[in-house]
Amino acid sequence: MELLNQIILDETKRQNNGLELIASENFTSAEVRRLCGSSPTNKYAEGFPGHRYYGGCENIDKIEQLAIDLACQLFGAQFANVQPHCGSAANMIAYAALLNLGDTILSLGLDEGGHLTHGSSVSFSGKQYHFVHYHLGADGRIDYEGMAKMAAETKPRLILAGFSSYPYEIDFKHISEIAKANGAYFMVDMAHIAGLIATGYHPSPIPYADVVTSTTHKTLRGPRGGIILTNSPELAKKINSACFPGIQGGPLENIIAAKVQCFYEALQPSFKQYIKAVVANTKACADEFAKLGCAVSGTDTHLFMVNTKKSFGMTGVDAQHKVEEIGITFNKNMVPGDTEKPSVTSGVRIGMAATTTRGLTEAQARETAWIIYDYLGNHVSREVASARVQKIVATLKDIDKL
Ligand SMILES: Cc1ncc(COP(=O)(O)O)c(C=O)c1O
């Protein structure tokens, strides 16, 4: 369809012509994208390898088993379910496998870095389960002591860690001890940091958590989708039946084929080099903001937060819109102690996973901080800032050639 093709060309052009700093995004390889559109999209395969409700699944079984085996190899887990359509579905399935409706979950709230599915009242999670929240300390890091106190007081069935906008290393061992002391399951949602965990740039939750969920499309750089991992045979069974027939129907086997490619790519030495560069670029960019006197978080990962209200006297949403004028995309984000609504916020979240895939250097990561600082601070015109963005973009790889 001509109109649609034109829109897709426009979107490809937009992605090629800008600096993508949204921390949850990435650019997949051409092979991942080819597999997303491959023939398994035509096939129904309700069930799991070797146990399907349809005939003709002999090739599909091989694809899904490859995905399971590579996911287990990549993360050092014993069981994997690769069928969740997205990260939210993975969390819904994991809760359904472990809990009864109305059970108490101890998590970090949306306003401090958790995801919608970690108990927000507008998500299924907040409607179906009883959430209580632990908090960040004044330094922006998890208050583990406060978490232990809350666990003792509220006796949750499950403690959840792993976040959408938390820039520091998470002490999974410590949280698992708190969960054990209180008879709670420990679940980790590693959606954001899966690529770092796969390459050893963040400690793994697998030895400590009962269940680990993830997306495959953020730092892991695969197709949009979810996975669930566990080392417990008993929980693996519960997860599979909560997935199908509990919540989902036919799996997206074309996307599962692309997940195979994603796990294969993540097992290559070049992916480790890539994540190393992501972490270095993120540190360089955050460091430059700090040198410029901005209110910026630290970072051990692929993302950091800038308090735009304190740094530029501007809300997060206004900063987000303003940088779009010069070809930069990042998103508004609540910062610790935020008094603005989630649709406004006092800050932004900046991530380096996507631009690093296109070859951004550390010097360019620093220049990116300067461009944002100069433009949000009204030190340069839109034309000058745009030209500086385009100077960087001209050196980056074309997204169709990755
Ligand atoms: C920590 C975390 N979990 C789950 C999700 C949900 O993933 P999806 O958008 O694929 O449903 C996200 C998405 O941003 C996330 O940040």
Side-chain angles (χ1 to χ4, degrees):
M1 182 187 171
E2 212 174 303
L3 171 63
L4 179 60
N5 284 342
Q6 189 52 54
I7 299 170
I8 298 288
L9 283 176
D10 289 346
E11 173 56 13
T12 306
K13 195 168 155 195
R14 186 197 68 80
Q15 291 185 19
N16 263 324
N17 289 351
L19 277 183
E20 184 51 76
L21 304 182
I22 294 177
S24 50
E25 294 193 8
N26 214 324
F27 297 106
T28 52
S29 66
E31 190 59 5
V32 163
R33 277 181 287 128
R34 183 186 71 77
L35 289 162
C36 286
S38 61
S39 63
T41 194
N42 302 325
K43 188 76 195 92
Y44 246 115
E46 283 175 350
F48 294 94
H51 306 278
R52 303 285 189 183
Y53 287 77
Y54 291 84
C57 285
E58 61 272 22
N59 299 312
I60 296 298
D61 276 3
K62 286 182 196 160
I63 293 170
E64 190 166 335
Q65 194 57 52
L66 257 179
I68 290 168
D69 293 346
L70 287 186
C72 287
Q73 187 185 340
L74 183 61
F75 292 106
Q78 288 183 36
F79 301 93
N81 181 314
V82 296
Q83 292 190 2
H85 299 329
C86 62
S88 299
N91 287 344
M92 186 186 242
I93 293 162
Y95 296 155
L98 299 174
L99 307 172
N100 294 314
L101 292 180
D103 276 354
T104 298
I105 301 175
L106 179 58
S107 69
L108 192 70
L110 183 68
D111 55 341
E112 290 186 282
H115 184 252
L116 280 164
T117 56
H118 300 179
S120 164
S121 61
V122 297
S123 138
F124 78 91
S125 58
K127 297 183 203 297
Q128 296 183 348
Y129 301 94
H130 173 240
F131 277 83
V132 283
H133 295 309
Y134 53 86
H135 299 285
L136 302 179
D139 58 356
R141 292 168 191 265
I142 298 167
D143 173 7
Y144 293 97
E145 241 176 67
M147 181 197 289
K149 244 191 214 161
M150 285 205 71
E153 279 164 22
T154 60
K155 288 289 172 202
R157 271 301 290 288
L158 186 149
I159 299 181
L160 175 63
F163 315 105
S164 294
S165 52
Y166 184 73
Y168 304 110
E169 192 174 298
I170 306 166
D171 188 345
F172 294 129
K173 183 166 182 282
H174 193 162
I175 304 175
S176 76
E177 287 162 2
I178 296 171
K180 211 169 266 161
N182 291 281
Y185 284 120
F186 177 33
M187 171 172 151
V188 171
D189 175 351
M190 63 171 184
H192 259 271
I193 51 175
L196 280 72
I197 288 169
T199 49
Y201 280 89
H202 189 292
S204 172
I206 298 291
Y208 305 109
D210 295 293
V211 172
V212 176
T213 60
S214 185
T215 57
T216 46
H217 50 269
K218 303 186 202 293
T219 51
L220 205 50
R221 210 165 65 177
R224 310 198 76 76
I227 52 168
I228 308 176
L229 307 168
T230 184
N231 280 336
S232 155
E234 188 199 326
L235 291 181
K237 264 193 204 153
K238 288 186 177 179
I239 288 162
N240 280 358
S241 53
C243 177
F244 176 83
I247 288 169
Q248 293 192 167
L252 311 177
E253 294 291 348
N254 53 318
I255 299 300
I256 291 175
K259 286 175 186 173
V260 172
Q261 177 67 21
C262 156
F263 303 145
Y264 169 79
E265 288 176 12
L267 282 162
Q268 306 310 308
S270 55
F271 190 74
K272 192 165 185 171
Q273 287 307 112
Y274 158 66
I275 293 291
K276 184 180 177 190
V278 170
V279 172
N281 282 350
T282 309
K283 268 200 176 29
C285 191
D287 184 50
E288 206 62 30
F289 272 111
K291 277 192 202 157
L292 288 164
C294 296
V296 59
S297 73
T299 180
D300 304 323
T301 65
H302 63 299
L303 65 84
F304 61 90
M305 258 82 65
V306 178
N307 186 321
T308 50
K309 253 193 165 172
K310 281 190 186 160
S311 307
F312 307 106
M314 185 184 282
T315 63
V317 70
D318 286 344
Q320 175 187 316
H321 289 144
K322 187 155 171 153
V323 296
E324 262 186 86
E325 297 167 1
I326 57 167
I328 290 178
T329 32
F330 55 51
N331 64 299
K332 63 183 183 287
N333 208 92
M334 305 286 271
V335 290
D338 211 324
T339 49
E340 295 287 354
K341 292 185 290 191
S343 57
V344 178
T345 78
S346 299
V348 297
R349 183 184 68 166
I350 294 179
M352 291 280 145
T355 42
T356 304
T357 292
R358 295 186 64 196
L360 192 87
T361 64
E362 240 177 270
Q364 289 174 327
R366 290 185 186 279
E367 163 68 356
T368 300
W370 267 100
I371 297 170
I372 295 167
Y373 171 82
D374 277 344
Y375 194 54
L376 293 184
N378 290 319
H379 305 304
V380 296
S381 69
R382 180 173 172 170
E383 288 68 33
V384 168
S386 297
R388 283 164 70 184
V389 168
Q390 287 312 312
K391 195 171 167 205
I392 295 176
V393 167
T395 69
L396 301 181
K397 286 179 209 144
D398 188 295
I399 64 156
D400 280 331
K401 300 203 177 99
L402 294 168

